[in-house]
Amino acid sequence: MLQQTQVATVIPYFERWMALFPDPAALARAPEEKVLRAWAGLGYYARARNLQKAARVLAEGGAWPADTAGWKALPGIGEYTAGAVASLAFGTRAPILDGNVARVFSRLVGLDFLPGDKAEAGRAYWDLAARWADHARPGAVNEALMELGALVCVPAAPRCPACPLSAVCVARRDGRENRLPPLKKRVKAEVVLAAAVRVRDARGRLLVERRGAGAFLAGHEMFPLFLGDEARAETWQAAFHRRFPGLRLKNIRAAGRVRHSIMSKRYDVQVWDGEAAGSGSFPGPIWTREEDVEERLTNSLARKIWKAGNR
DNA sequence: AAAACGGGGCT
DNA sequence: AGCCCAGTTTT
């Protein structure tokens, strides 16, 4: 959960998660829907699926990995997470390098590049991490480096007067603490026009579809969603009838507008309400009772659409 | 080496 | 509203 996500965001999810899945065996046997529901809103859903895969490996093996390599072999566990678990939980002298620690090292040593810039750059950082972890209490040192980055050596306006390393910090000495590390180059977010439809049948149930493999939010249930040219007010109904043959809509009305940022895309979603006038003949219809909708929406965009405007 | 993958924090 | 950021896997 802590990959790419801040502690304060994670805590309530972690509490609920541990109550639902207290050990690898519990997670291993849970249905994926339940896992995704518990993760809904955290994003990067591959993390949840990988965590369950890892739990299945662990539940079958019956023992925790002994070293960094053993942890890294599990799905979803990379160099950073393997080192963090090995050092914090098992006390091995494994290095860690996350975004916080990289920022601390960049400033402390005056490195004006990022670990991911090229292979030698990554090596420079991991070598530093290895030297710091070569300590009688590697877990405490690693934790301290991460805490320093998260609380003191923060990205903007670092709190150098509160920093125990300020006397030996190269960036501080040179007055460059606000210039290091260099910003990551990021692609500008592309705006994507979208339309979402909340269709009710005669019994008040809502039409939901499971997103296919390859689509974004793959495997999640979602209101019918149309993107790009298909999303325009004059075109989405034709696209709807292609996707749901035989299902006629009536009483169509605009219900609200939702914006959602996903990676390098910014979705601008017009939400529509409508009523189903025909039963339809499309494959795999999922008609969901209103009281069940909330718990089946396993991502934030769907929940925003559900809450939009008036129902 | 680059691309894909969500959502939230901060100003 | 715009900018920035607490990894891993796949291509």
Side-chain angles (χ1 to χ4, degrees), chain A residues 3 48 88 115 119 124 126 132 154 179-180 189 193 231 250 255 296 306:
Chain A
Q3 292 166 351
L88 297 183
W126 278 103
W132 278 85
V154 293
R179 308 291 308 165
L180 292 177
L193 194 64
K250 60 181 183 183
R296 296 191 64 146
W306 177 237

Side-chain angles (χ1 to χ4, degrees), chain A residues 14-287:
Chain A
F14 177 80
E15 301 285 358
R16 287 196 296 272
W17 186 274
M18 293 308 290
L20 285 168
F21 316 114
D23 54 37
L27 181 58
R29 63 176 174 260
E32 185 180 68
E33 284 78 20
K34 186 177 177 185
V35 173
L36 285 178
R37 270 203 301 280
W39 202 273
L42 274 178
Y44 288 117
Y45 297 96
R47 295 181 296 176
R49 294 176 171 128
N50 281 334
L51 190 51
Q52 185 173 39
K53 284 185 207 160
R56 287 177 175 154
V57 174
L58 291 176
E60 219 164 280
W64 302 106
D67 56 7
T68 307
W71 284 99
K72 191 167 186 291
L74 294 169
I77 308 288
E79 200 65 46
Y80 157 69
T81 308
V85 174
S87 64
L88 297 183
F90 293 89
T92 68
R93 298 191 176 188
I96 58 160
L97 185 71
D98 71 350
N100 286 312
V101 176
R103 187 170 54 253
V104 170
F105 286 164
S106 167
R107 288 171 174 159
L108 186 64
V109 187
L111 304 177
D112 65 346
F113 51 84
L114 290 166
D117 285 354
K118 45 182 65 179
E120 312 91 81
R123 222 163 17 249
Y125 276 91
W126 278 103
D127 285 349
L128 279 168
R131 288 165 56 190
W132 278 85
D134 187 15
H135 185 277
R137 297 176 61 205
V141 171
N142 285 341
E143 180 65 41
L145 288 169
M146 291 192 285
E147 290 294 310
L148 192 64
L151 301 177
V152 177
C153 195
V154 293
R159 303 170 48 213
C160 299
C163 179
L165 299 179
S166 63
V168 293
C169 178
V170 170
R172 172 72 164 163
R173 183 195 67 196
D174 298 345
R176 289 197 295 155
E177 65 269 24
N178 286 309
R179 308 291 308 165
L180 292 177
L183 293 179
K184 271 180 261 201
K185 33 189 176 293
R186 282 191 168 82
V187 286
K188 197 164 172 260
E190 167 199 0
V191 176
V192 178
L193 194 64
V197 199
R198 304 185 299 202
V199 182
R200 286 173 199 281
D201 68 3
R203 296 161 54 182
R205 300 174 306 178
L206 286 125
L207 177 61
V208 163
E209 59 176 344
R210 183 172 295 279
R211 312 260 324 147
F216 89 97
L217 296 174
H220 292 270
E221 289 182 7
M222 175 63 92
F223 298 105
L225 190 67
F226 304 92
L227 303 175
D229 284 339
E230 281 191 347
R232 287 182 292 127
E234 12 355 315
T235 54
W236 71 260
Q237 291 187 50
F240 182 94
H241 290 126
R242 280 195 296 277
R243 198 182 302 178
F244 304 104
L247 187 63
R248 298 277 166 246
L249 295 179
K250 60 181 183 183
N251 294 335
I252 296 165
R253 57 206 176 273
R257 194 172 168 205
V258 159
R259 288 179 186 76
H260 191 64
S261 290
I262 293 181
M263 307 313 300
S264 54
K265 290 182 167 51
R266 208 194 75 187
Y267 292 88
D268 189 345
V269 187
Q270 177 64 50
V271 181
W272 300 88
D273 277 331
E275 293 167 30
S279 59
S281 59
F282 47 91
I286 307 176
W287 289 102

